[in-house]
Amino acid sequence: NTMMKALMLLLCIAGNRVQAGEYCTLDDPSCLDDTELPVLLKTPEDSHEEDPAEVEDTYEFKERSNEYNTKGVAFAQKGNMREAIKYFRAATYHQPHRQDVWANIGLASRDIANSLSAKESLKKMALFREALQAFELAVWLGDQQSISLLSRLQSTFKSTFPRKCLAQDCQRYQAERRAFAAVDKGDVYKAAHTLCAAQDNLTISISPPERQGPLHTATFHRFYTTMKVCGVAVIKDVYRRALLQDIHEATAVHWKEWDHKLRKIEKAGSSVHTEFRDAASRSDDRYEVKFPLTQPYTARDFVSNRIQLSLMKVVVGGRFEIDTFSYVASRPGAPDQHWHADVSQLFSRWMTSPSKQVPSNGVVNIVPLVDMTMETGPTEFMTGSHWAHGTAWKDFNEQSSPTPVHRLAADLGSSVLFDVQIYHRGTANRSKKMRPIVYMSYVREWWFDRVNFKDSQTKDFDELTSTQKKLFLRLDSREYVKRLEAALEERGVAVADMQSTADYKKNDLEV
């Protein structure tokens, strides 16, 4: 028996995906209550943190390592499943995009559950449920071997607990099943109405234990299904409010300079519906302005927030970069924006149905710098519009949309993550203050935004034909930098002192 378990775990050691969940464990009775279903978390009634994100991460495996999965397999081979799953969870803390670790968490949770006595049926049910969600994540991330493991465990669960649902949140589970079935049949409208109609279904809450260790398997699972079907999710209380207030203050100063410059252009009678190198009009009285790459904007727990990056890895993999790093300032009285997608569908010519949909090429992270209300103008989303479909999404609006439309008013400290291809719009700012939101995109390393903001080009670029401009777009931009550096050198500037001296290979860098 032990040998068979070890062989199954060995199947997953060489894969390339991971994740974690922290439900009931074998020696943790505190996760149970008087009800039939286990509770994943109990918070003391007198615990009322002013800012949930103000929690120090004291996780024992916080140091980055690619060996946690391997160590977990080694313990599993010895039959020590408690230690094995501890290291599998540690792997998910750093690499939740790896399907092999999800498969291993599924196997370990299943085997621990099978070792429990009949008196520990609630713990067994909780572990089975975690295993089922872990196997599903492994399958969704590309592990074909987990398909049969998932199917067998579903049968085992139904025979062991014939009157129980396969997930703790049964209503959500059933909605996910129906939505995925609709997607498989090409009916993305039905899928969105099934899962995305209730705004609560778009919300992901982070518990206190998850702020000090790996996210629960259920959290990853919920985020993945929400993004896949709906294309947008709200993450509650993920950033420290004090940090965002610092960024807000700095942004207010930065915007004051830009606002003055733009109003001068308007007063002169020129159109500001144009694009500058560091700012661009996004509609009447609404501008996107690039952040300076300085503090507090580049604060580590802002741009590389561990919880946000963990969630991001599940949908865009482990190799991604920040492409857009800006804020959108909506002046008082700014009207509703037009419906749009930031970029077009990848390979849209071939994506004639949802079954041919390629994975997301990027996710945009909206971080409000003030509490968002319906008055200040939250972003509105046409759920499910990131899917390829026969009818053009651009032909719809908030009245005619074939899928649920939501205005997501996130509070300070929370964020809104959405697929870069989804249709959305900023709504009217009816308040008397400028409404600032951070607009930051995390994209796969091979993808570049060719729609928003232009790169600097040489003067010679103007003489090229349209075809030549397209062909030389990247090369000419690099040439511009070379010429700029040469001009600085001629004027006595030590350009080398401004350049990085880090010794690295681009292919070795990962998040």
Side-chain angles (χ1 to χ4, degrees):
N1 239 351
T2 301
M3 181 61 70
M4 286 302 295
K5 294 173 185 174
L7 286 172
M8 289 303 298
L9 285 159
L10 276 170
L11 290 174
C12 300
I13 191 173
N16 53 7
R17 310 270 159 152
V18 176
Q19 260 172 335
E22 204 72 55
Y23 290 3
C24 299
T25 56
L26 192 61
D27 54 356
D28 183 16
S30 66
C31 69
L32 303 179
D33 68 356
D34 302 335
T35 67
E36 288 186 87
L37 295 177
V39 175
L40 306 190
L41 165 71
K42 273 198 173 181
T43 304
E45 291 182 7
D46 59 350
S47 176
H48 297 290
E49 292 177 293
E50 187 173 328
D51 184 354
E54 287 280 3
V55 176
E56 183 183 358
D57 186 349
T58 57
Y59 186 48
E60 61 179 312
F61 298 116
K62 189 162 60 174
E63 183 179 347
R64 189 182 183 94
S65 172
N66 293 325
E67 299 301 315
Y68 293 130
N69 185 48
T70 304
K71 289 180 180 179
V73 171
F75 277 110
Q77 289 172 330
K78 298 173 184 177
N80 189 341
M81 304 309 292
R82 296 188 196 182
E83 284 297 303
I85 200 167
K86 182 169 74 174
Y87 279 98
F88 293 148
R89 296 194 197 287
T92 71
Y93 180 91
H94 300 282
Q95 299 169 305
H97 54 289
R98 291 181 50 181
Q99 72 257 30
D100 55 19
V101 180
W102 282 124
N104 283 342
I105 285 181
L107 290 165
S109 297
R110 180 203 64 185
D111 291 344
I112 293 173
N114 284 331
S115 71
L116 299 178
S117 68
K119 294 181 179 179
E120 299 172 292
S121 61
L122 292 180
K123 292 181 181 179
K124 173 177 283 195
M125 181 163 52
L127 286 163
F128 272 167
R129 283 172 169 162
E130 177 170 13
L132 288 167
Q133 290 189 319
F135 284 144
E136 283 194 322
L137 282 164
V139 170
W140 294 336
L141 293 172
D143 181 26
Q144 298 301 303
Q145 293 176 343
S146 289
I147 295 176
S148 59
L149 295 171
L150 174 63
S151 178
R152 289 200 296 270
L153 185 55
Q154 286 172 336
S155 298
T156 301
F157 186 99
K158 290 175 183 177
S159 62
T160 308
F161 304 103
R163 296 188 176 185
K164 299 298 180 184
C165 186
L166 290 169
Q168 181 168 344
D169 187 342
C170 199
Q171 186 175 1
R172 166 83 187 199
Y173 173 80
Q174 291 171 346
E176 289 173 353
R177 298 312 100 186
R178 294 194 301 271
F180 274 58
V183 168
D184 289 341
K185 294 177 181 178
D187 193 347
V188 296
Y189 298 165
K190 182 177 179 180
H193 276 288
T194 301
L195 189 60
C196 319
Q199 196 168 122
D200 285 349
N201 276 347
L202 307 181
T203 301
I204 312 293
S205 296
I206 307 299
S207 67
E210 291 177 292
R211 299 181 190 280
Q212 298 177 291
L215 301 182
H216 298 324
T217 303
T219 300
F220 281 115
H221 189 279
R222 183 182 177 94
F223 179 69
Y224 181 92
T225 55
T226 302
M227 290 297 293
K228 183 176 179 65
V229 177
C230 307
V232 59
V234 178
I235 316 301
K236 298 286 288 182
D237 300 316
V238 69
Y239 292 106
R240 291 189 299 110
R241 294 170 194 161
L243 171 62
L244 296 186
Q245 287 165 355
D246 289 343
I247 294 173
H248 182 205
E249 291 174 6
T251 300
V253 174
H254 192 260
W255 167 246
K256 187 176 181 179
E257 296 175 2
W258 265 104
D259 191 35
H260 178 70
K261 184 188 302 185
L262 292 166
R263 290 187 187 278
K264 282 182 67 176
I265 296 173
E266 292 168 354
K267 191 173 182 179
S270 301
S271 171
V272 289
H273 288 277
T274 186
E275 187 172 276
F276 305 94
R277 185 181 64 180
D278 294 320
S281 169
R282 295 304 180 215
S283 65
D284 290 345
D285 286 325
R286 193 184 308 269
Y287 294 92
E288 182 178 356
V289 184
K290 291 183 180 179
F291 276 130
L293 295 184
T294 57
Q295 292 285 349
Y297 312 112
T298 56
R300 183 175 180 179
D301 56 344
F302 178 59
V303 296
S304 54
N305 180 281
R306 194 264 305 178
I307 292 172
Q308 291 286 69
L309 295 188
S310 290
L311 294 172
M312 212 71 66
K313 290 176 183 180
V314 180
V315 292
V316 293
R319 303 186 66 86
F320 56 87
E321 302 170 3
I322 294 176
D323 183 78
T324 299
F325 189 54
S326 57
Y327 63 91
V328 176
S330 175
R331 286 172 174 164
D336 288 332
Q337 194 181 19
H338 59 284
W339 283 99
H340 67 284
D342 285 349
V343 299
S344 58
Q345 290 272 356
L346 278 177
F347 313 115
S348 56
R349 182 177 175 184
W350 291 274
M351 292 198 303
T352 55
S353 70
S355 62
K356 296 182 180 179
Q357 185 93 352
V358 298
S360 175
N361 47 304
V363 172
V364 175
N365 181 20
I366 288 180
V367 185
L369 294 178
V370 294
D371 284 333
M372 293 296 292
T373 65
M374 292 303 166
E375 185 182 36
T376 55
T379 308
E380 190 169 33
F381 297 90
M382 202 179 292
T383 58
S385 59
H386 60 304
W387 285 98
H389 199 267
T391 305
W393 290 99
K394 64 180 178 62
D395 296 334
F396 300 118
N397 57 35
E398 64 278 10
Q399 278 87 35
S400 63
S401 173
T403 61
V405 172
H406 290 296
R407 294 187 180 191
L408 300 179
D411 294 329
L412 185 68
S414 299
S415 74
V416 179
L417 300 178
F418 65 91
D419 190 299
V420 71
Q421 300 167 126
I422 198 172
Y423 271 75
H424 63 284
R425 66 170 183 163
T427 57
N429 181 5
R430 297 191 300 274
S431 74
K432 296 180 179 180
K433 295 183 178 180
M434 185 271 284
R435 184 226 64 181
I437 58 170
V438 174
Y439 210 78
M440 179 166 42
S441 66
Y442 296 89
V443 302
R444 295 181 188 269
E445 61 183 358
W446 45 262
W447 187 82
F448 290 84
D449 183 351
R450 291 303 183 194
V451 177
N452 303 289
F453 291 115
K454 294 177 286 192
D455 294 324
S456 296
Q457 309 292 155
T458 68
K459 191 67 175 176
D460 295 340
F461 188 77
D462 297 343
E463 306 302 319
L464 300 179
T465 66
S466 178
T467 297
Q468 288 174 316
K469 282 186 172 73
K470 180 59 179 173
L471 292 173
F472 282 97
L473 200 61
R474 300 184 192 191
L475 298 178
D476 185 80
S477 184
R478 294 170 193 162
E479 180 66 19
Y480 174 84
V481 174
K482 286 172 60 178
R483 293 184 187 181
L484 190 61
E485 290 178 346
L488 289 171
E489 291 279 10
E490 289 176 3
R491 288 162 176 75
V493 177
V495 174
D497 293 343
M498 301 168 61
Q499 296 172 334
S500 168
T501 58
D503 183 18
Y504 70 95
K505 293 180 180 178
K506 288 199 286 186
N507 200 46
D508 292 339
L509 299 176
E510 60 179 319
V511 178

